[in-house]
Amino acid sequence: PPLYKQRYQFVKSLVEKHNPKKVADLGCSECSLLWKLKFCSSIEVLAGVDISEDVMKEKMHTLSPLPCEYLQPSWRSLVITLYQGSVAEKDPNLLGFDMITCIELIEHLEAKELAAFPEVIFGFWAPIMVVISTPNSEFNSLLPGVSLFRHLDHKFEWNKKEFESWALEAADCYGYTVEFTGVGKPPPGAESVGYCTQIGIFVRNYVETAEIVKHKMTTNHVYKTIFKAVY
Ligand code: SAM
């Protein structure tokens, strides 16, 4: 399967393994991953965030319940919400989540946004698990026609060492443990290059008290809700 499908499948398998109830996808774009995740039975709250309202709106109607789902109320509750906003800004709507995914997002962030991001996701939202994927620049030599970056809009592409040191520093600073994996295996003989897409799985290694969450909830809302579906 194409690489983007392998990334979505990777997240879906992780959800099926850990059974999170509240999952958010940052940089959700056309909501393709959210659409796949709405079929995961553990999920009761699903949220998407993107800076671009237009790109989210393109296919967000696919997240609405089908007429048959209205007629035959489901055995579980599910609320899907889409927010327009930047991941460099704290918004209390994403507090208390079990899992937050960032698939091919960080390489689109400006230097200033990237610098603010760890404090927002690991410090403020502090979900139990974070999944971050980004291109592995070492793989680019194996891709036909890629000279500098895989996509014009990428602000950077990191090799394994660069991603791992960024991730380890953030994990260390905010009380997480991180493990590295990826999707898109290199061809035989080029194993040292690593995966085409590198992935960090971060797990929080402390318990957040209800008081702390309650206090964070008083932070001002900055995100704009652009869609809400209640199943
Ligand atoms: N996650 C999607 C997937 O895997 O199919 C696609 C990600 S797309 C390559 C990057 C997305 O990040 C774009 O939709 C873009 O609008 C969004 N984005 C860029 N900067 C952002 C920011 N500061 N806050 C939130 N979203 C941002």
Side-chain angles (χ1 to χ4, degrees), residues 8 27 29 50-52 55 85-87 103-105 108-109 113:
Y8 298 160
S29 195
D50 205 285
I51 194 99
S52 167
V55 78
S86 171
V87 300
I103 306 306
E104 309 297 275
L105 164 71
H108 293 266
L109 300 179
E113 295 174 317

Side-chain angles (χ1 to χ4, degrees), residues 22-26 28 34 43 45-49 79-83 93-94 97 101:
K22 300 180 79 174
V23 179
D25 184 35
L26 308 184
C28 64
L34 291 172
I43 300 178
V45 173
L46 198 51
V49 177
V79 177
I80 307 179
T81 315
L82 297 178
Y83 302 101
N93 278 309
L94 293 202
F97 275 66
T101 58

Side-chain angles (χ1 to χ4, degrees), residues 4 7-8 25-33 49-53 55-56 83-89 101-110 113-114 117 133 151 153-155 223:
Y4 75 93
R7 289 191 288 260
Y8 298 160
D25 184 35
L26 308 184
C28 64
S29 195
E30 292 168 349
C31 309
S32 318
L33 177 59
V49 177
D50 205 285
I51 194 99
S52 167
E53 185 169 339
V55 78
M56 268 189 291
Y83 302 101
Q84 187 277 323
S86 171
V87 300
E89 287 192 79
T101 58
C102 317
I103 306 306
E104 309 297 275
L105 164 71
I106 60 171
E107 67 276 8
H108 293 266
L109 300 179
E110 304 280 355
E113 295 174 317
L114 183 70
F117 183 59
S133 87
H151 195 282
D153 193 46
H154 288 177
K155 307 298 185 289
Y223 285 2

Side-chain angles (χ1 to χ4, degrees), residues 93-143:
N93 278 309
L94 293 202
L95 289 171
F97 275 66
D98 301 307
M99 183 186 285
I100 297 187
T101 58
C102 317
I103 306 306
E104 309 297 275
L105 164 71
I106 60 171
E107 67 276 8
H108 293 266
L109 300 179
E110 304 280 355
K112 253 181 121 172
E113 295 174 317
L114 183 70
F117 183 59
E119 165 60 23
V120 176
I121 187 165
F122 299 111
F124 185 68
W125 291 327
I128 293 169
M129 187 177 280
V130 172
V131 183
I132 297 183
S133 87
T134 195
N136 167 16
S137 65
E138 288 163 79
F139 203 98
N140 287 358
S141 60
L142 301 172
L143 299 172

Side-chain angles (χ1 to χ4, degrees), residues 33-49:
L33 177 59
L34 291 172
W35 184 82
K36 220 171 149 66
L37 295 180
K38 86 170 197 164
F39 299 100
C40 295
S41 57
S42 71
I43 300 178
E44 293 172 4
V45 173
L46 198 51
V49 177

Side-chain angles (χ1 to χ4, degrees), residues 3-225:
L3 205 58
Y4 75 93
K5 284 197 177 162
Q6 291 183 49
R7 289 191 288 260
Y8 298 160
Q9 191 51 52
F10 179 88
V11 172
K12 197 172 180 211
S13 303
L14 209 61
V15 165
E16 283 162 355
K17 184 171 168 200
H18 296 279
N19 295 308
K21 285 186 177 171
K22 300 180 79 174
V23 179
D25 184 35
L26 308 184
C28 64
S29 195
E30 292 168 349
C31 309
S32 318
L33 177 59
L34 291 172
W35 184 82
K36 220 171 149 66
L37 295 180
K38 86 170 197 164
F39 299 100
C40 295
S41 57
S42 71
I43 300 178
E44 293 172 4
V45 173
L46 198 51
V49 177
D50 205 285
I51 194 99
S52 167
E53 185 169 339
D54 289 345
V55 78
M56 268 189 291
K57 277 186 165 166
E58 276 175 38
K59 292 183 188 158
M60 70 181 183
H61 58 272
T62 63
L63 299 175
S64 296
L66 300 166
C68 63
E69 288 172 306
Y70 276 125
L71 292 170
Q72 193 177 39
S74 69
W75 40 276
R76 61 155 176 157
S77 75
L78 171 65
V79 177
I80 307 179
T81 315
L82 297 178
Y83 302 101
Q84 187 277 323
S86 171
V87 300
E89 287 192 79
K90 294 175 181 172
D91 185 286
N93 278 309
L94 293 202
L95 289 171
F97 275 66
D98 301 307
M99 183 186 285
I100 297 187
T101 58
C102 317
I103 306 306
E104 309 297 275
L105 164 71
I106 60 171
E107 67 276 8
H108 293 266
L109 300 179
E110 304 280 355
K112 253 181 121 172
E113 295 174 317
L114 183 70
F117 183 59
E119 165 60 23
V120 176
I121 187 165
F122 299 111
F124 185 68
W125 291 327
I128 293 169
M129 187 177 280
V130 172
V131 183
I132 297 183
S133 87
T134 195
N136 167 16
S137 65
E138 288 163 79
F139 203 98
N140 287 358
S141 60
L142 301 172
L143 299 172
V146 172
S147 49
L148 181 59
F149 294 151
R150 294 184 200 174
H151 195 282
L152 281 176
D153 193 46
H154 288 177
K155 307 298 185 289
F156 60 87
E157 285 179 0
W158 282 336
N159 61 32
K160 292 195 291 292
K161 208 177 159 198
E162 288 167 316
F163 177 55
E164 287 172 15
S165 59
W166 176 85
L168 285 165
E169 195 187 317
D172 198 43
C173 182
Y174 295 101
Y176 280 76
T177 304
V178 58
E179 280 179 15
F180 301 99
T181 178
V183 293
K185 282 205 176 105
E191 286 83 3
S192 66
V193 160
Y195 291 105
C196 189
T197 297
Q198 39 187 350
I199 299 175
I201 302 176
F202 302 72
V203 177
R204 197 182 65 198
N205 50 32
Y206 65 93
V207 175
E208 202 178 40
T209 65
E211 283 76 56
I212 295 202
V213 178
K214 214 174 144 191
H215 175 72
K216 287 176 175 180
M217 287 283 185
T218 63
T219 308
N220 284 339
H221 287 258
V222 290
Y223 285 2
K224 179 177 154 196
T225 303

